[in-house]
Amino acid sequence: MTRRIVNVGSETVLFSSDGQPPLAERNWALVRARAVDELTGEPPLTRMIVETDRTDITPRAAAGGLVGLVGVPARAFPALNTQSYQVGLTVSSEGYVARREAVTVAQDVNFPAVFATTNLGDLALHREPVIISGRTVLAAGGATTPVAGATVRLTGVWRTMPPANVAVPADSPLLVSLQPPTYFARTAAAGRLRRRGMTPVAGQDKRLLADAPSGSATLRLSDRVGLAGGSIFAIGQGDPERTEFLVVQAVAGATTADQPATVTLAYPTARAHAAGEVASVVTPQAPGANNVFSRECVAGDAVVFLAGLTGLNTASVVEITGGPAPAEYHLVQRFTATTDAAGYFRMPPISRVAQVEIQADDGGAHAAVTATLAPLYGVGEHHIDFVFR
């Protein structure tokens, strides 16, 4: 401790400094990252929201995509010299899928004398999907007429926008659209997707007894007949945008199976479900060939990129595995559509691409029409028309 005389206005006081507190007792950036749009590499233009699962740590966001968690290390990680800690970090921004990270703050034997911020580097945010829809018409004799039965399909994708002065060939469209979006993050090294048909079990339909909001980890069902740990049931059937295949982790109910029961799920629901909805027990069929992921995915992605599309031409349900997370199940669609009697088409939700090439083909009656467009994310639906001549 040192003493010195300090003049404050007309007053003279004796000042004794307590010295600098230890590093671990100071307010620090505990975790930091830079949030960027994966399509542009630039920070999002919309306001970012940062959240954490810790009440003793403060989330922060700043200009330039900077995000992080702030706190006093000695209070947040008191035993860091003997163990590592895990902190939940969620970064979201309007128009993007919320990115949830379990951040490991590594053990440091020199703590509390030494502390270093955990730097995640760039944290890529994925766009919310958009639906590409439109119409096909034939222009002839000074009039246009709708073309029914035409095939509209994705023929190429660019993951980032190519330079204006360079011709960059498109990548093959080895991607599929999922309903609902993914429940878990998967790495490209571990992720696998394969066809997995589901057959309803006769006589084992149940009713949801209470409303279940999105994110529900338990459901109250009319009975537990046919349910056990590992069972799968479908709910929300009849509406592809709300259908989910949910895996049972545990069942608690009365002594008789035909009485109401509470089901704990292996992963929370992605959609809201109303009381009275039917939950149908299903039996998984023999799996198809595995297709390896070619890009990582985060929880909430509506599109998965693959190294191939083996066995997916006629698939309606797929199974995703890989890494520590349990298997999950989704309705699946390829990026192909057929026009209706009025010439209209609607493709499944697409995301994570900066530019696409789409072709409309009426079966050879006229030359196929190809268009290149940058999806307008944030509008919900991007309309484009194809004109045969």
Side-chain angles (χ1 to χ4, degrees):
M1 179 183 297
T2 60
R3 290 186 172 187
R4 59 194 176 96
I5 295 174
V6 178
N7 294 317
V8 182
S10 61
E11 299 287 329
T12 300
V13 297
L14 186 63
F15 173 74
S16 297
S17 171
D18 289 336
Q20 291 287 343
L23 288 177
E25 294 288 349
R26 305 177 195 176
N27 213 42
W28 276 75
L30 306 177
V31 177
R32 67 183 176 194
R34 177 175 176 260
V36 298
D37 185 326
E38 69 165 344
L39 302 181
T40 64
E42 297 295 325
L45 298 177
T46 50
R47 184 175 70 93
M48 287 183 300
I49 299 172
V50 185
E51 299 172 283
T52 182
D53 57 354
R54 293 280 297 270
T55 58
D56 56 343
I57 294 174
T58 304
R60 294 281 178 82
L66 299 179
V67 297
L69 303 175
V70 175
V72 178
R75 300 173 192 171
F77 317 122
L80 193 61
N81 61 327
T82 60
Q83 69 176 68
S84 297
Y85 285 82
Q86 197 168 81
V87 182
L89 171 69
T90 300
V91 180
S92 57
S93 186
E94 185 180 352
Y96 295 85
V97 174
R99 176 115 191 202
R100 299 175 178 85
E101 296 290 323
V103 182
T104 298
V105 179
Q107 175 188 349
D108 188 339
V109 295
N110 296 313
F111 185 85
V114 173
F115 179 77
T117 301
T118 299
N119 191 351
L120 302 181
D122 283 354
L123 202 60
L125 300 184
H126 300 178
R127 292 275 190 161
E128 290 279 5
V130 65
I131 292 172
I132 297 175
S133 63
R135 197 183 193 200
T136 58
V137 297
L138 173 64
T144 58
T145 55
V147 177
T151 299
V152 181
R153 62 189 181 93
L154 203 64
T155 52
V157 298
W158 289 262
R159 299 182 184 184
T160 58
M161 188 63 71
N165 60 340
V166 179
V168 179
D171 293 331
S172 296
L174 300 177
L175 64 162
V176 293
S177 184
L178 304 176
Q179 286 286 4
T182 53
Y183 295 96
F184 301 102
R186 312 271 179 179
T187 65
R192 302 287 186 272
L193 181 148
R194 60 184 180 179
R195 183 189 72 249
R196 198 73 194 264
M198 297 288 176
T199 301
V201 179
Q204 292 188 6
D205 285 357
K206 294 121 185 31
R207 292 281 179 179
L208 190 61
L209 296 181
D211 292 345
S214 173
S216 294
T218 61
L219 297 178
R220 188 70 175 161
L221 299 180
S222 57
D223 64 82
R224 57 183 174 87
V225 175
L227 290 181
S231 297
I232 303 172
F233 62 90
I235 192 168
Q237 295 180 93
D239 182 351
E241 294 187 2
R242 295 182 56 259
T243 299
E244 296 191 70
F245 294 91
L246 301 171
V247 181
V248 176
Q249 184 175 28
V251 184
T255 54
T256 55
D258 61 352
Q259 296 299 304
T262 299
V263 174
T264 301
L265 305 174
Y267 43 82
T269 60
R271 308 297 193 211
H273 299 282
E277 283 190 34
V278 175
S280 301
V281 179
V282 295
T283 301
Q285 301 305 294
N290 270 321
N291 293 282
V292 180
F293 280 29
S294 62
R295 296 176 77 181
E296 86 295 341
C297 76
V298 300
D301 274 336
V303 170
V304 171
F305 288 76
L306 305 168
L309 299 173
T310 304
L312 301 181
N313 279 337
T314 59
S316 59
V317 181
V318 292
E319 176 185 65
I320 296 177
T321 57
E328 56 185 283
Y329 303 90
H330 303 265
L331 294 179
V332 65
Q333 287 181 281
R334 298 280 300 274
F335 287 95
T336 300
T338 302
T339 60
D340 63 16
Y344 289 102
F345 70 90
R346 193 172 190 263
M347 302 189 84
I350 190 169
S351 67
R352 306 194 65 191
V353 291
Q355 186 171 276
V356 297
E357 181 183 80
I358 302 177
Q359 184 182 84
D361 187 344
D362 67 352
H366 304 88
V369 182
T370 300
T372 300
L373 63 90
L376 295 174
Y377 294 107
V379 300
E381 196 153 333
H382 184 155
H383 189 94
I384 181 172
D385 292 334
F386 291 91
V387 181
F388 295 103
R389 301 184 187 279

